[in-house]
Amino acid sequence: MPSHPPSLLRILIAGSVDDGKSTLVGRLLHDTRAVYDDQLESVRRVSSNGLELAFLTDGLRAEREQGITIDVAYRYFSTRKRRFILADAPGHEQYTRNMATGASHSELALILADARKGVLLQTRRHAYVCALLGIKYVVLAVNKMDLVGFDETVFSRIKHEFEEFARALGFSEIRAVPVSALEGDNVVEPSARMPWFRNCCLLERLENLKIVAPVEQPLRLPVQVVLRAEQDFRGYAGQIASGQLNAGDDVLILPARVSARISSLLRPDSATPQASAPLAVSVTLDRPVDLGRGDMLVDPQQPPSTARVFRASVVWMSQSPLVAQRPYLIRHTTRQVCAIVSRVENVIDLDRLASTPSDKIEFNGIGTVTVETHQPLYCEPYTVNRSTGAFIFIDPTTNQTIGAGMISEVLDSGAEIHTPAIATSGGLTIWFTGLSGAGKTTIAQAIYEKLWAKGLKVEILDGDVVRRQLSKDLGFSKEDRDENIRRLGFIAQLLNRNGVIVLVSAISPYRAIREEVRSAVPNFLEVYVNAPLEICEHRDPKGHYRKARSGEIAHFTGVTDPYEPPLIPEVECRTDLESLSDSVALVMKAIEQRLNNNST
């Protein structure tokens, strides 16, 4: 009979700084003979105190110098019973985001606790992230037992504290093992110095753990790339996220929602009659279909949800906090879309394992948010499918990953869109006028973010910026002010011709020149940002009113020069009486109506 290779177990090892993760991994590699002789010799040369096993894993110079693990490192070793892939995650709070990356691919979490320190906040954070990312099995390794005299009561206290905390996280199994990674006790071989611990040692526990395989999931194959190797060949390549494929199977194609049949399945070396997750394959279909990156082949009997609004748990990884109404990019399977967090619902207090209301999630925080995307995702809750239930946040400016999300609930089915779609066959100029300090720039920026999150082409023209860049030759007489406004209108008109929505934020105090621009720009929407002079002067965000009152600035609108308010603006925002979100809602409603009317 053919022999079967040992089963594979993917392990995440995590813990706080100085809990001994690197030493424990080094001990596992060394004692299972997974280290080459030249590697051992290299480590001996740099060790100052015998064989420092941590150096087997801390490969980065920065890690050795600081004595901490910075990035996730993947280690491979095997025994006669099993093969292992071990993700060595950083312990420092600053690198929790790296730890989350390792957890997303693991089946078991090996969490360390220093016997002298017990369960720390970072220990709790790692356990919570592991539960959040779908890990069901946990082994708590209480390390450095040699430093507490191999005291059974110390181990029992830490074991009880961790189990009490982790019981509410929904793990299928939690086991605790007392170890000394430095001296090898209870790691690969049982320890004679802890006769009171009669259960199996750490390696034996890892070898014998039976992972309950998830029920067979429906097909999900996100398209990564379209292959055109020959003139008549069209293949669609990607990694099978879940389920399996057979030549001859019928599939449903999203978003087109058309059916096709699999003609062939291709692997790098040859054709194959069948492929299953997580293999990467190329498929050909029995008919020509318009398919591209981000589309998905799915089980026609069990398709995923098509959603634009969903609730998700988030691990935030950026120094800038996550806040509502700010635009982000979201990458989900092979699809990248614009999105906003419409609401931050809560953050998690890891000490109490309780949620508290909040309007933002800080660096390394964990919380719950509602997300709206401008294009639908083909998704499911993370507990149903880890591939289609996970996504990442990307900063649209730096293109850096700034958060990881796990979908907990789909809030629309794709049939109803909470945020109205906007048609943009042509451009539009939204002209924000009002006194300095009324809130023009603040509202314009918020509108910009909403339009950008919908995937629209949008630009802001700020009156002060345009003056510095294009109108340095102009002063502040009425004639020069009018000329500056004409230039703003001309730029807006050029951008409108190319389908760009332009947000102009300028005091533009004179009614006649605003009407002149309106007549020149085909699609013009005037927003009067109205606040009493005393309110604007109290705000004085740029200090202009103070300088004008002291005589440092001449010809200042509202103090020495007049302001002529619009007679019939399309929108009036009373920023002294309404919130920013109320003002933004008024302007967005007018924009949506104008653009949708123009497209019909």
Side-chain angles (χ1 to χ4, degrees):
M1 295 180 62
S3 60
H4 296 284
S7 61
L8 174 66
L9 180 65
R10 294 179 174 86
I11 303 170
L12 172 82
I13 180 168
S16 297
V17 172
D18 294 330
D19 278 352
K21 295 185 313 302
S22 296
T23 301
L24 180 60
V25 175
R27 173 63 64 186
L28 281 168
L29 296 176
H30 178 270
D31 289 8
T32 57
R33 295 175 175 80
V35 184
Y36 293 112
D37 291 340
D38 58 341
Q39 289 177 288
L40 286 174
E41 184 58 34
S42 175
V43 169
R44 285 193 179 95
R45 284 198 299 269
V46 297
S47 298
S48 59
N49 185 22
L51 181 64
E52 297 188 43
L53 294 172
F55 285 179
L56 290 172
T57 59
D58 286 344
L60 298 176
R61 176 175 294 179
E63 292 178 345
R64 292 187 180 183
E65 291 174 350
Q66 297 179 47
I68 62 172
T69 300
I70 293 174
D71 204 354
V72 177
Y74 292 91
R75 316 296 176 187
Y76 305 86
F77 69 99
S78 62
T79 65
R80 289 180 301 170
K81 293 184 177 181
R82 197 166 218 163
R83 295 176 294 131
F84 301 93
I85 299 177
L86 198 153
D88 183 7
H92 196 280
E93 179 180 347
Q94 181 180 354
Y95 302 105
T96 299
R97 58 189 182 274
N98 305 64
M99 177 264 172
T101 301
S104 65
H105 301 287
S106 300
E107 298 156 318
L108 176 139
L110 176 56
I111 299 178
L112 268 71
D114 187 325
R116 300 166 300 172
K117 302 175 183 177
V119 177
L120 304 176
L121 176 60
Q122 187 70 341
T123 315
R124 294 169 179 263
R125 178 180 285 111
H126 285 164
Y128 191 90
V129 172
C130 288
L132 201 62
L133 290 166
I135 295 178
K136 294 298 183 184
Y137 303 90
V138 174
V139 173
L140 176 69
V142 181
N143 192 24
K144 303 187 181 182
M145 289 297 296
D146 53 307
L147 300 183
V148 296
F150 300 99
D151 190 337
E152 180 181 6
T153 59
V154 172
F155 169 73
S156 298
R157 174 178 53 80
I158 295 173
K159 173 178 179 290
H160 176 74
E161 182 181 356
F162 183 83
E163 288 177 344
E164 284 294 305
F165 161 79
R167 187 171 292 117
L169 298 180
F171 293 116
S172 298
E173 182 177 289
I174 302 171
R175 296 291 181 94
V177 181
V179 300
S180 170
L182 183 64
E183 300 189 14
D185 292 84
N186 252 3
V187 179
V188 172
E189 299 292 340
S191 171
R193 294 188 283 188
M194 288 182 279
W196 45 265
F197 185 75
R198 296 181 177 84
N199 296 328
C200 54
C201 65
L202 178 61
L203 180 62
E204 187 178 354
R205 179 68 203 137
L206 299 179
E207 285 181 324
N208 296 327
L209 178 70
K210 290 181 171 56
I211 299 292
V212 178
V215 296
E216 186 173 331
Q217 295 175 317
L219 172 69
R220 305 287 185 258
L221 174 56
V223 175
Q224 179 80 20
V225 66
V226 179
L227 304 175
R228 297 298 302 271
E230 302 170 4
Q231 184 174 358
D232 297 327
F233 177 86
R234 183 185 292 269
Y236 308 98
Q239 183 179 20
I240 302 175
S242 63
Q244 67 177 26
L245 265 178
N246 299 279
D249 281 353
D250 291 324
V251 294
L252 177 66
I253 297 166
L254 299 176
R257 292 198 170 275
V258 298
S259 297
R261 180 163 294 173
I262 302 296
S263 295
S264 64
L265 291 169
L266 306 173
R267 295 279 290 145
D269 50 353
S270 63
T272 180
Q274 184 185 81
S276 58
L279 289 179
V281 297
S282 300
V283 304
T284 62
L285 303 176
D286 66 340
R287 67 194 69 179
V289 179
D290 184 15
L291 260 174
R293 179 182 173 87
D295 296 343
M296 189 179 290
L297 278 61
V298 304
D299 184 333
Q301 304 303 318
Q302 302 179 76
S305 299
T306 302
R308 287 186 59 245
V309 185
F310 52 84
R311 182 173 290 117
S313 298
V314 171
V315 180
W316 196 242
M317 306 172 183
S318 171
Q319 296 287 351
S320 299
L322 181 152
V323 295
Q325 306 306 320
R326 181 173 296 171
Y328 299 104
L329 294 174
I330 279 182
R331 185 168 297 160
H332 173 266
T333 62
T334 58
R335 193 173 184 82
Q336 184 166 297
V337 300
C338 302
I340 61 169
V341 172
S342 58
R343 182 186 174 201
V344 178
E345 299 186 8
N346 57 59
V347 294
I348 302 301
D349 182 336
L350 293 173
D351 279 324
R352 300 184 297 113
L353 254 196
S355 61
T356 58
S358 178
D359 60 357
K360 61 184 176 181
I361 302 177
E362 300 282 3
F363 173 62
N364 270 337
I366 300 171
T368 304
V369 300
T370 300
V371 179
E372 294 187 27
T373 61
H374 84 278
Q375 291 181 355
L377 301 181
Y378 318 122
C379 59
E380 291 146 303
Y382 187 80
T383 53
V384 174
N385 190 309
R386 290 175 78 172
S387 295
T388 55
F391 63 93
I392 60 174
F393 287 96
I394 298 173
D395 187 306
T397 304
T398 65
N399 207 38
Q400 292 183 334
T401 299
I402 53 177
M406 286 65 64
I407 296 171
S408 57
E409 182 181 3
V410 173
L411 299 179
D412 74 15
S413 62
E416 295 184 1
I417 303 300
H418 294 325
T419 305
I422 296 180
T424 54
S425 56
L428 169 65
T429 292
I430 301 100
W431 197 282
F432 295 86
T433 178
L435 292 172
S436 177
K440 300 182 299 299
T441 300
T442 301
I443 297 174
Q445 182 63 41
I447 295 295
Y448 173 89
E449 292 177 353
K450 279 191 169 291
L451 295 174
W452 182 92
K454 294 175 182 293
L456 304 177
K457 293 189 292 183
V458 58
E459 291 290 348
I460 290 183
L461 296 180
D462 185 272
D464 291 342
V465 174
V466 172
R467 265 195 172 274
R468 290 196 299 269
Q469 301 298 326
L470 297 178
S471 298
K472 293 179 181 179
D473 58 319
L474 299 178
F476 289 89
S477 67
K478 182 179 185 304
E479 292 74 17
D480 283 355
R481 286 178 182 271
D482 285 352
E483 178 57 29
N484 184 55
I485 297 306
R486 287 190 185 96
R487 293 180 186 182
L488 278 167
F490 179 70
I491 298 169
Q493 185 178 3
L494 291 178
L495 291 169
N496 285 171
R497 289 178 185 174
N498 291 280
V500 179
I501 298 173
V502 181
L503 310 175
V504 179
S505 173
I507 294 174
S508 43
Y510 299 110
R511 191 178 300 126
I513 190 62
R514 294 197 304 266
E515 291 305 313
E516 180 182 317
V517 172
R518 178 191 288 273
S519 64
V521 176
N523 203 1
F524 186 91
L525 192 152
E526 189 174 40
V527 178
Y528 177 26
V529 184
N530 185 2
L533 175 61
E534 59 270 19
I535 297 293
C536 296
E537 192 163 355
H538 177 72
R539 293 171 179 167
D540 202 10
K542 300 176 182 178
H544 291 338
Y545 285 100
R546 177 180 53 80
K547 293 180 180 178
R549 294 294 184 189
S550 66
E552 297 178 56
I553 299 178
H555 302 292
F556 189 76
T557 302
V559 177
T560 54
D561 277 12
Y563 176 78
E564 299 173 357
L567 297 178
I568 312 177
E570 280 79 4
V571 181
E572 180 177 1
C573 298
R574 287 297 305 270
T575 60
D576 59 324
L577 302 176
E578 61 196 28
S579 67
L580 174 61
S581 59
D582 291 335
S583 298
V584 169
L586 286 173
V587 179
M588 284 298 298
K589 182 179 180 180
I591 292 172
E592 290 163 1
Q593 289 175 345
R594 177 66 64 87
L595 290 175
N596 287 329
N597 289 341
N598 289 343
S599 67
T600 57

